Protein backbone atom coordinates (compact mmCIF):
# COMPACT_ATOMS: atom_id res chain seq x y z
CA UNK A 1 0.00 0.00 0.00
CA UNK A 2 2.42 2.63 -1.19
CA UNK A 3 0.21 5.62 -0.58
CA UNK A 4 -0.51 4.70 3.01
CA UNK A 5 3.10 4.02 3.77
CA UNK A 6 4.02 7.33 2.28
CA UNK A 7 1.57 9.43 4.23
CA UNK A 8 2.43 7.63 7.44
CA UNK A 9 6.04 8.50 7.00
CA UNK A 10 5.24 12.01 6.03
CA UNK A 11 3.16 12.51 9.13
CA UNK A 12 6.03 11.28 11.25
CA UNK A 13 8.46 13.52 9.45
CA UNK A 14 7.29 17.03 8.53
CA UNK A 15 6.69 18.46 11.97
CA UNK A 16 10.35 17.63 12.32
CA UNK A 17 11.33 18.46 8.79
CA UNK A 18 9.75 21.86 9.15
CA UNK A 19 7.26 23.48 6.86
CA UNK A 20 8.15 24.05 3.27
CA UNK A 21 8.69 27.68 4.10
CA UNK A 22 11.25 26.84 6.76
CA UNK A 23 13.41 24.94 4.33
CA UNK A 24 12.68 26.86 1.17
CA UNK A 25 15.98 28.67 1.02
CA UNK A 26 17.82 25.37 1.47
CA UNK A 27 15.95 23.73 -1.39
CA UNK A 28 16.54 26.73 -3.61
CA UNK A 29 20.02 27.87 -2.60
CA UNK A 30 21.74 24.77 -1.29
CA UNK A 31 22.11 21.27 -2.62
CA UNK A 32 24.56 20.02 -5.17
CA UNK A 33 25.30 22.03 -8.29
CA UNK A 34 26.89 20.38 -11.28
CA UNK A 35 28.17 22.59 -14.06
CA UNK A 36 27.10 20.47 -16.99
CA UNK A 37 23.52 20.45 -15.72
CA UNK A 38 21.53 23.60 -16.24
CA UNK A 39 19.26 25.12 -13.72
CA UNK A 40 15.84 26.49 -14.48
CA UNK A 41 15.38 30.18 -14.04
CA UNK A 42 13.77 30.99 -10.76
CA UNK A 43 12.89 34.57 -11.47
CA UNK A 44 10.32 35.89 -9.05
CA UNK A 45 11.02 33.32 -6.39
CA UNK A 46 11.93 36.01 -3.88
CA UNK A 47 8.25 36.61 -3.37
CA UNK A 48 7.99 33.22 -1.76
CA UNK A 49 10.60 34.13 0.76
CA UNK A 50 8.75 37.04 2.28
CA UNK A 51 7.34 36.09 5.63
CA UNK A 52 4.87 38.45 7.21
CA UNK A 53 5.64 37.13 10.66
CA UNK A 54 9.16 38.41 10.51
CA UNK A 55 10.03 41.80 11.85
CA UNK A 56 11.07 43.99 9.01
CA UNK A 57 12.95 47.14 9.83
CA UNK A 58 10.48 49.78 8.80
CA UNK A 59 8.83 52.88 10.11
CA UNK A 60 5.67 50.93 10.76
CA UNK A 61 7.51 48.42 12.89
CA UNK A 62 9.30 51.12 14.81
CA UNK A 63 6.09 52.94 15.59
CA UNK A 64 4.46 49.72 16.65
CA UNK A 65 7.31 49.01 19.04
CA UNK A 66 7.22 52.55 20.38
CA UNK A 67 3.53 52.30 20.98
CA UNK A 68 3.91 49.02 22.82
CA UNK A 69 6.71 50.48 24.92
CA UNK A 70 4.79 53.56 25.85
CA UNK A 71 1.93 51.40 26.92
CA UNK A 72 4.22 49.23 28.98
CA UNK A 73 5.64 52.24 30.67
CA UNK A 74 2.20 53.42 31.67
CA UNK A 75 1.31 50.13 33.20
CA UNK A 76 4.57 50.33 35.05
CA UNK A 77 3.82 53.69 36.64
CA UNK A 78 0.23 53.03 37.43
CA UNK A 79 0.47 52.47 41.14
CA UNK A 80 1.65 49.71 43.36
CA UNK A 81 0.70 46.90 41.06
CA UNK A 82 3.55 45.07 39.43
CA UNK A 83 3.67 44.71 35.72
CA UNK A 84 3.12 40.97 35.67
CA UNK A 85 0.02 41.43 37.80
CA UNK A 86 -1.33 44.02 35.46
CA UNK A 87 -0.77 41.75 32.56
CA UNK A 88 -2.28 38.75 34.26
CA UNK A 89 -5.54 40.63 34.26
CA UNK A 90 -7.08 40.43 37.70
CA UNK A 91 -5.34 43.35 39.27
CA UNK A 92 -5.65 45.38 36.13
CA UNK A 93 -9.39 45.46 36.43
CA UNK A 94 -9.36 47.23 39.76
CA UNK A 95 -6.10 48.77 40.79
CA UNK A 96 -4.88 51.79 38.94
CA UNK A 97 -7.12 51.09 36.04
CA UNK A 98 -8.33 54.61 35.69
CA UNK A 99 -4.89 56.02 35.56
CA UNK A 100 -3.80 53.46 33.03
CA UNK A 101 -6.80 54.15 30.94
CA UNK A 102 -6.36 57.91 30.91
CA UNK A 103 -2.74 57.67 30.08
CA UNK A 104 -3.35 55.09 27.43
CA UNK A 105 -5.86 57.37 25.79
CA UNK A 106 -3.46 60.24 25.65
CA UNK A 107 -0.83 58.05 24.13
CA UNK A 108 -3.34 56.65 21.72
CA UNK A 109 -4.05 60.19 20.69
CA UNK A 110 -0.44 61.01 20.28
CA UNK A 111 0.37 57.94 18.28
CA UNK A 112 -2.57 58.41 16.02
CA UNK A 113 -1.66 62.02 15.37
CA UNK A 114 1.91 61.01 14.89
CA UNK A 115 1.13 58.46 12.23
CA UNK A 116 -1.36 60.77 10.60
CA UNK A 117 -4.39 58.76 11.56
CA UNK A 118 -7.90 59.93 12.17
CA UNK A 119 -8.56 62.55 14.77
CA UNK A 120 -11.60 60.96 16.29
CA UNK A 121 -12.15 59.74 19.79
CA UNK A 122 -9.07 58.52 21.58
CA UNK A 123 -8.82 54.88 22.29
CA UNK A 124 -6.52 52.28 23.68
CA UNK A 125 -3.73 51.84 21.19
CA UNK A 126 -4.11 48.12 21.05
CA UNK A 127 -7.68 48.06 19.88
CA UNK A 128 -8.16 47.44 16.25
CA UNK A 129 -9.56 49.81 13.76
CA UNK A 130 -12.99 48.32 13.68
CA UNK A 131 -13.41 48.86 17.36
CA UNK A 132 -12.15 52.37 17.10
CA UNK A 133 -14.76 53.19 14.58
CA UNK A 134 -17.49 51.78 16.71
CA UNK A 135 -16.24 53.50 19.76
CA UNK A 136 -18.27 56.74 19.83
CA UNK A 137 -21.48 54.84 19.52
CA UNK A 138 -20.51 52.45 22.27
CA UNK A 139 -19.76 55.32 24.56
CA UNK A 140 -23.28 56.52 24.44
CA UNK A 141 -24.86 53.15 24.65
CA UNK A 142 -22.61 50.55 26.17
CA UNK A 143 -24.08 47.22 25.34
CA UNK A 144 -21.46 44.58 24.83
CA UNK A 145 -19.99 42.58 27.64
CA UNK A 146 -16.48 43.34 26.59
CA UNK A 147 -16.78 47.07 26.96
CA UNK A 148 -19.23 47.33 29.82
CA UNK A 149 -16.51 46.06 32.09
CA UNK A 150 -14.70 49.31 31.49
CA UNK A 151 -17.64 51.61 31.99
CA UNK A 152 -17.14 52.50 35.64
CA UNK A 153 -13.61 53.57 34.90
CA UNK A 154 -14.68 56.03 32.32
CA UNK A 155 -17.64 57.41 34.18
CA UNK B 1 13.83 11.81 -24.13
CA UNK B 2 11.70 14.87 -24.45
CA UNK B 3 12.97 18.24 -25.52
CA UNK B 4 12.66 19.53 -21.98
CA UNK B 5 15.52 17.44 -20.66
CA UNK B 6 16.07 15.31 -17.59
CA UNK B 7 15.28 16.64 -14.14
CA UNK B 8 17.91 15.45 -11.67
CA UNK B 9 16.88 15.09 -8.01
CA UNK B 10 19.81 13.39 -6.39
CA UNK B 11 22.82 11.19 -6.67
CA UNK B 12 22.74 7.97 -4.66
CA UNK B 13 24.62 4.70 -4.56
CA UNK B 14 23.83 2.33 -7.41
CA UNK B 15 21.36 -0.49 -6.92
CA UNK B 16 19.23 1.26 -4.37
CA UNK B 17 15.50 0.89 -4.79
CA UNK B 18 13.46 4.02 -5.17
CA UNK B 19 10.81 4.71 -2.53
CA UNK B 20 7.32 3.75 -3.61
CA UNK B 21 4.37 6.08 -3.92
CA UNK B 22 6.43 9.15 -4.66
CA UNK B 23 6.29 11.12 -7.85
CA UNK B 24 8.47 13.75 -9.37
CA UNK B 25 7.95 17.34 -10.37
CA UNK B 26 5.31 18.37 -12.85
CA UNK B 27 1.60 17.89 -13.01
CA UNK B 28 0.77 15.07 -13.24
CA UNK B 29 3.85 14.00 -11.28
CA UNK B 30 6.53 12.66 -13.58
CA UNK B 31 7.46 9.01 -12.94
CA UNK B 32 10.85 8.56 -11.29
CA UNK B 33 13.67 6.36 -12.43
CA UNK B 34 17.38 5.98 -11.91
CA UNK B 35 20.26 6.30 -14.31
CA UNK B 36 22.99 3.98 -13.05
CA UNK B 37 26.60 4.37 -13.97
CA UNK B 38 29.25 2.39 -12.17
CA UNK B 39 28.69 2.51 -8.43
CA UNK B 40 26.51 5.60 -8.44
CA UNK B 41 23.10 6.49 -9.78
CA UNK B 42 21.13 9.64 -10.49
CA UNK B 43 17.49 9.82 -9.52
CA UNK B 44 15.70 11.53 -12.40
CA UNK B 45 12.44 12.11 -14.18
CA UNK B 46 11.54 13.84 -17.38
CA UNK B 47 11.62 17.56 -16.85
CA UNK B 48 8.18 19.10 -17.27
CA UNK B 49 7.87 21.89 -19.80
CA UNK B 50 8.05 25.38 -18.28
CA UNK B 51 9.36 24.18 -14.96
CA UNK B 52 9.23 26.87 -12.29
CA UNK B 53 9.50 26.88 -8.53
CA UNK B 54 5.88 26.13 -7.85
CA UNK B 55 4.88 25.03 -4.40
CA UNK B 56 3.81 21.66 -5.76
CA UNK B 57 7.14 21.08 -7.45
CA UNK B 58 9.17 22.24 -4.48
CA UNK B 59 7.25 19.81 -2.31
CA UNK B 60 7.75 16.97 -4.76
CA UNK B 61 11.49 17.64 -4.80
CA UNK B 62 11.67 17.89 -1.02
CA UNK B 63 9.45 14.86 -0.32
CA UNK B 64 11.44 12.61 -2.60
CA UNK B 65 14.71 13.70 -1.02
CA UNK B 66 13.32 13.17 2.47
CA UNK B 67 12.24 9.66 1.51
CA UNK B 68 15.57 8.88 -0.13
CA UNK B 69 17.55 10.17 2.81
CA UNK B 70 15.47 8.05 5.17
CA UNK B 71 16.77 5.00 3.37
CA UNK B 72 20.42 5.83 2.93
CA UNK B 73 22.92 8.51 2.06
CA UNK B 74 21.90 10.89 -0.67
CA UNK B 75 23.43 13.87 -2.43
CA UNK B 76 20.52 16.21 -2.99
CA UNK B 77 20.62 18.39 -6.07
CA UNK B 78 19.58 21.98 -5.87
CA UNK B 79 15.99 22.50 -6.94
CA UNK B 80 15.55 22.97 -10.66
CA UNK B 81 18.56 21.05 -11.93
CA UNK B 82 17.93 19.87 -15.47
CA UNK B 83 20.34 17.97 -17.71
CA UNK B 84 19.91 18.25 -21.47
CA UNK B 85 19.70 14.48 -21.92
CA UNK B 86 20.48 11.10 -20.36
CA UNK B 87 23.91 10.94 -22.02
CA UNK B 88 25.00 14.08 -20.20
CA UNK B 89 23.92 12.55 -16.89
CA UNK B 90 25.83 9.34 -17.61
CA UNK B 91 28.91 11.30 -18.57
CA UNK B 92 28.78 13.31 -15.38
CA UNK B 93 28.27 10.23 -13.21
CA UNK B 94 31.27 8.59 -14.81
CA UNK B 95 33.45 11.65 -14.41
CA UNK B 96 32.31 12.31 -10.86
CA UNK B 97 31.99 8.74 -9.59
CA UNK B 98 34.87 8.89 -7.12
CA UNK B 99 33.83 12.28 -5.73
CA UNK B 100 30.21 11.24 -5.41
CA UNK B 101 31.14 8.05 -3.60
CA UNK B 102 33.38 9.94 -1.22
CA UNK B 103 30.63 12.45 -0.49
CA UNK B 104 28.08 9.68 0.04
CA UNK B 105 30.47 7.99 2.41
CA UNK B 106 31.03 11.24 4.28
CA UNK B 107 27.31 11.78 4.67
CA UNK B 108 26.28 8.25 5.50
CA UNK B 109 24.10 8.23 8.59
CA UNK B 110 24.22 12.00 8.63
CA UNK B 111 21.22 14.30 8.57
CA UNK B 112 20.92 18.04 8.38
CA UNK B 113 19.19 20.02 11.09
CA UNK B 114 18.52 23.64 10.26
CA UNK B 115 17.97 26.25 12.93
CA UNK B 116 16.81 29.78 12.33
CA UNK B 117 16.86 32.33 15.10
CA UNK B 118 14.60 35.37 15.16
CA UNK B 119 14.31 38.19 17.67
CA UNK B 120 11.86 37.35 20.45
CA UNK B 121 8.77 39.47 19.98
CA UNK B 122 7.22 39.35 23.39
CA UNK B 123 10.12 40.49 25.44
CA UNK B 124 9.59 44.24 25.63
CA UNK B 125 9.22 44.20 29.37
CA UNK B 126 12.48 42.44 30.05
CA UNK B 127 14.15 44.51 27.38
CA UNK B 128 13.08 47.76 29.00
CA UNK B 129 14.02 46.47 32.41
CA UNK B 130 17.52 45.66 31.19
CA UNK B 131 18.27 48.59 28.98
CA UNK B 132 18.73 52.02 30.49
CA UNK B 133 19.17 53.73 27.17
CA UNK B 134 15.83 52.45 25.98
CA UNK B 135 14.13 53.58 29.15
CA UNK B 136 15.53 57.06 28.58
CA UNK B 137 14.26 57.14 25.02
CA UNK B 138 10.89 55.97 26.18
CA UNK B 139 10.74 58.64 28.88
CA UNK B 140 11.58 61.23 26.26
CA UNK B 141 8.87 59.89 24.00
CA UNK B 142 6.39 60.24 26.83
CA UNK B 143 7.54 63.67 27.92
CA UNK B 144 7.60 65.14 24.44
CA UNK B 145 5.45 62.82 22.41
CA UNK B 146 5.68 62.98 18.70
CA UNK B 147 6.53 61.13 15.55
CA UNK B 148 10.28 61.68 15.85
CA UNK B 149 10.50 60.53 19.45
CA UNK B 150 8.43 57.44 18.75
CA UNK B 151 10.47 56.61 15.72
CA UNK B 152 13.71 56.91 17.68
CA UNK B 153 12.33 54.74 20.44
CA UNK B 154 10.94 52.12 18.09
CA UNK B 155 14.10 51.92 16.06
CA UNK B 156 16.18 51.48 19.18
CA UNK B 157 13.84 48.77 20.41
CA UNK B 158 14.04 46.90 17.12
CA UNK B 159 17.82 47.14 17.13
CA UNK B 160 18.03 46.00 20.74
CA UNK B 161 15.75 43.02 20.12
CA UNK B 162 17.87 42.04 17.17
CA UNK B 163 21.15 42.40 18.98
CA UNK B 164 19.90 40.39 21.95
CA UNK B 165 18.72 37.67 19.59
CA UNK B 166 22.02 37.67 17.72
CA UNK B 167 23.88 37.30 20.98
CA UNK B 168 21.67 34.40 21.99
CA UNK B 169 22.23 32.93 18.54
CA UNK B 170 25.98 32.97 19.10
CA UNK B 171 25.42 31.21 22.40
CA UNK B 172 23.29 28.62 20.70
CA UNK B 173 25.92 28.06 18.06
CA UNK B 174 28.68 27.46 20.55
CA UNK B 175 26.46 25.15 22.55
CA UNK B 176 25.35 23.04 19.60
CA UNK B 177 28.49 23.01 17.47
CA UNK B 178 30.27 20.37 19.59
CA UNK B 179 27.29 18.09 19.04
CA UNK B 180 27.54 18.30 15.24
CA UNK B 181 29.83 16.70 12.69
CA UNK B 182 29.87 19.86 10.63
CA UNK B 183 28.26 23.27 10.58
CA UNK B 184 27.28 25.40 7.59
CA UNK B 185 25.75 28.83 7.54
CA UNK B 186 22.58 29.04 5.50
CA UNK B 187 21.52 31.68 3.02
CA UNK B 188 20.42 34.98 4.44
CA UNK B 189 16.78 35.07 5.39
CA UNK B 190 15.12 38.37 6.07
CA UNK B 191 14.63 39.07 9.75
CA UNK B 192 16.65 36.04 10.74
CA UNK B 193 19.63 36.70 13.01
CA UNK B 194 21.06 33.22 12.57
CA UNK B 195 20.49 30.60 9.90
CA UNK B 196 22.67 27.61 10.55
CA UNK B 197 22.65 24.02 9.43
CA UNK B 198 24.19 21.24 11.44
CA UNK B 199 25.27 17.85 10.17
CA UNK B 200 24.44 15.36 12.89
CA UNK B 201 24.34 11.61 13.15
CA UNK B 202 20.89 10.33 12.43
CA UNK B 203 20.82 8.58 15.78
CA UNK B 204 21.69 11.80 17.58
CA UNK B 205 19.20 14.04 15.85
CA UNK B 206 16.53 13.70 18.55
CA UNK B 207 18.99 14.62 21.26
CA UNK B 208 20.26 17.47 19.14
CA UNK B 209 16.79 18.83 18.68
CA UNK B 210 16.05 18.50 22.37
CA UNK B 211 19.18 20.46 23.18
CA UNK B 212 18.09 23.21 20.80
CA UNK B 213 14.58 23.25 22.20
CA UNK B 214 15.95 23.42 25.70
CA UNK B 215 18.06 26.39 24.70
CA UNK B 216 15.04 28.07 23.12
CA UNK B 217 13.07 27.63 26.31
CA UNK B 218 15.81 29.02 28.50
CA UNK B 219 16.31 32.03 26.24
CA UNK B 220 12.74 32.62 25.17
CA UNK B 221 12.94 36.27 26.18
CA UNK B 222 15.75 36.84 23.73
CA UNK B 223 15.36 34.57 20.80
CA UNK B 224 12.79 32.55 18.93
CA UNK B 225 14.02 29.43 17.18
CA UNK B 226 12.63 27.55 14.23
CA UNK B 227 13.98 24.05 13.81
CA UNK B 228 13.77 21.92 10.71
CA UNK B 229 15.15 18.43 10.44
CA UNK B 230 16.20 15.75 10.01
CA UNK B 231 16.61 16.92 6.43
CA UNK B 232 18.54 15.70 3.43
CA UNK B 233 22.01 17.18 3.63
CA UNK B 234 21.43 20.15 1.33
CA UNK B 235 24.08 22.25 3.01
CA UNK B 236 26.82 19.65 3.09
CA UNK B 237 27.12 18.48 -0.48
CA UNK B 238 28.77 21.41 -2.11
CA UNK B 239 31.63 23.66 -1.19
CA UNK B 240 30.21 26.28 -3.50
CA UNK B 241 28.44 29.08 -1.69
CA UNK B 242 28.65 27.52 1.73
CA UNK B 243 31.11 27.80 4.51
CA UNK B 244 31.21 24.31 5.84
CA UNK B 245 33.17 23.82 8.98
CA UNK B 246 33.98 20.33 9.96
CA UNK B 247 33.78 19.92 13.66
CA UNK B 248 35.99 17.88 15.90
CA UNK B 249 37.64 15.49 13.49
Amino acid sequence: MPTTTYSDEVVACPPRAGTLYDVLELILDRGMVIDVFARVSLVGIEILKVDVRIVVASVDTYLRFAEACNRLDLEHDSGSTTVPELFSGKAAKSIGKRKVREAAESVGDTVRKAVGGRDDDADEPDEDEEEQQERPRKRRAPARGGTSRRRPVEA
Amino acid sequence: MTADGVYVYAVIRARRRLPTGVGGVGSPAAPLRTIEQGRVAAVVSEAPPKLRARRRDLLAHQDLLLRLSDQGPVLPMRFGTVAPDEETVRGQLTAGEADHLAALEHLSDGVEVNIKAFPAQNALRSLLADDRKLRRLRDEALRRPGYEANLRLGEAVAAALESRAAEAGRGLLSELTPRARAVASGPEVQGCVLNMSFLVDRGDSDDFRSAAEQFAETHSERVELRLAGPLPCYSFVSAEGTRVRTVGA
Side-chain angles (χ1 to χ4, degrees):
Chain A
M1 202 59 95
T3 321
T4 316
T5 316
Y6 177 57
S7 45
D8 279 350
E9 283 184 27
V10 164
V11 168
C13 221
R16 335 217 71 213
T19 64
L20 180 62
Y21 175 76
D22 284 332
V23 296
L24 192 58
E25 91 284 359
L26 298 177
I27 301 174
L28 291 170
D29 294 342
R30 292 295 182 260
M32 195 158 64
V33 174
I34 293 174
D35 291 345
V36 293
F37 301 163
R39 189 156 181 255
V40 296
S41 157
L42 299 174
V43 177
I45 197 68
E46 287 79 5
I47 295 161
L48 279 172
K49 295 190 184 182
V50 176
D51 185 340
V52 289
R53 287 171 299 172
I54 292 171
V55 179
V56 180
S58 71
V59 169
D60 278 354
T61 314
Y62 297 158
L63 292 176
R64 194 163 54 79
F65 277 139
E67 197 178 302
C69 272
N70 290 339
R71 204 159 66 227
L72 264 187
D73 172 62
L74 301 163
E75 314 262 4
H76 225 295
D77 293 341
S78 65
S80 58
T81 326
T82 65
V83 171
E85 279 169 338
L86 280 170
F87 272 86
S88 74
K90 283 181 190 131
K93 282 172 195 163
S94 48
I95 310 167
K97 183 64 183 178
R98 184 189 178 93
K99 202 168 168 187
V100 170
R101 169 101 201 145
E102 283 167 355
E105 288 195 358
S106 82
V107 171
D109 256 347
T110 312
V111 168
R112 209 160 295 115
K113 274 179 206 140
V115 299
R118 293 184 316 271
D119 238 358
D120 62 3
D121 206 359
D123 209 336
E124 280 164 342
D126 58 342
E127 292 197 13
D128 64 24
E129 212 168 56
E130 209 173 290
E131 274 184 278
Q132 283 171 19
Q133 281 164 351
E134 287 180 9
R135 193 63 190 221
R137 186 172 47 76
K138 278 199 225 160
R139 280 234 157 132
R140 284 188 295 276
R144 291 189 199 169
T147 42
S148 63
R149 185 160 47 80
R150 299 197 194 109
R151 275 319 102 184
V153 182
E154 281 177 14
Chain B
M1 276 308 99
T2 66
D4 297 305
V6 180
Y7 188 101
V8 188
Y9 299 85
V11 173
I12 55 175
R13 285 183 179 134
R15 283 173 290 283
R16 263 185 65 180
R17 276 174 46 202
L18 288 181
T20 49
V22 199
V25 293
S27 182
L32 299 166
R33 64 196 172 91
T34 54
I35 299 175
E36 299 212 350
Q37 194 69 25
R39 286 172 293 165
V40 290
V43 182
V44 304
S45 73
E46 309 239 322
K50 294 190 194 128
L51 175 70
R52 288 193 297 116
R54 295 180 190 86
R55 179 183 171 77
R56 199 222 145 270
D57 293 331
L58 288 163
L59 276 172
H61 183 95
Q62 164 79 340
D63 282 352
L64 171 61
L65 288 171
L66 277 170
R67 291 290 302 276
L68 283 169
S69 73
D70 279 348
Q71 298 168 354
V74 56
L75 308 180
M77 300 298 299
R78 195 170 290 188
F79 178 88
T81 301
V82 177
D85 50 42
E86 183 165 336
E87 276 321 295
T88 311
V89 178
R90 287 193 184 281
Q92 205 291 321
L93 290 180
T94 305
E97 183 178 0
D99 288 345
H100 293 329
L101 280 173
L104 287 164
E105 184 60 36
H106 172 64
L107 294 178
S108 57
D109 279 328
V111 292
E112 175 168 341
V113 177
N114 177 262
I115 301 183
K116 292 181 180 61
F118 297 87
Q121 298 286 291
N122 303 314
L124 284 184
R125 244 181 302 159
S126 85
L127 183 69
L128 281 172
D130 289 354
D131 196 322
R132 195 174 298 167
K133 187 188 143 214
L134 285 181
R135 282 206 303 278
R136 211 185 53 236
L137 282 174
R138 178 209 49 190
D139 290 345
E140 278 168 24
L142 287 173
R143 243 196 333 270
R144 275 188 289 277
Y147 182 77
E148 288 295 326
N150 278 324
L151 205 60
R152 264 200 306 279
L153 171 61
E155 193 173 1
V157 167
L161 285 175
E162 199 173 297
S163 115
R164 286 193 349 156
E167 193 192 327
R170 286 191 289 277
L172 174 80
L173 189 58
S174 60
E175 195 168 309
L176 292 182
T177 297
R179 293 169 167 269
R181 273 157 55 177
V183 182
S185 56
E188 247 178 59
V189 172
Q190 198 172 40
C192 188
V193 296
L194 177 93
N195 180 12
M196 217 30 106
S197 280
F198 300 85
L199 178 64
V200 299
D201 286 337
R202 184 175 288 280
D204 291 343
S205 75
D206 281 349
D207 284 351
F208 186 87
R209 285 185 63 106
S210 306
E213 276 157 14
Q214 180 76 48
F215 186 97
E217 211 165 290
T218 313
H219 298 86
S220 62
E221 294 220 309
R222 296 178 164 264
V223 73
E224 217 171 85
L225 298 185
R226 292 225 295 264
L227 271 73
L231 297 166
C233 300
Y234 290 109
S235 303
F236 301 97
V237 285
S238 175
E240 187 249 346
T242 56
R243 282 171 292 151
V244 178
R245 213 163 72 213
T246 306
V247 179

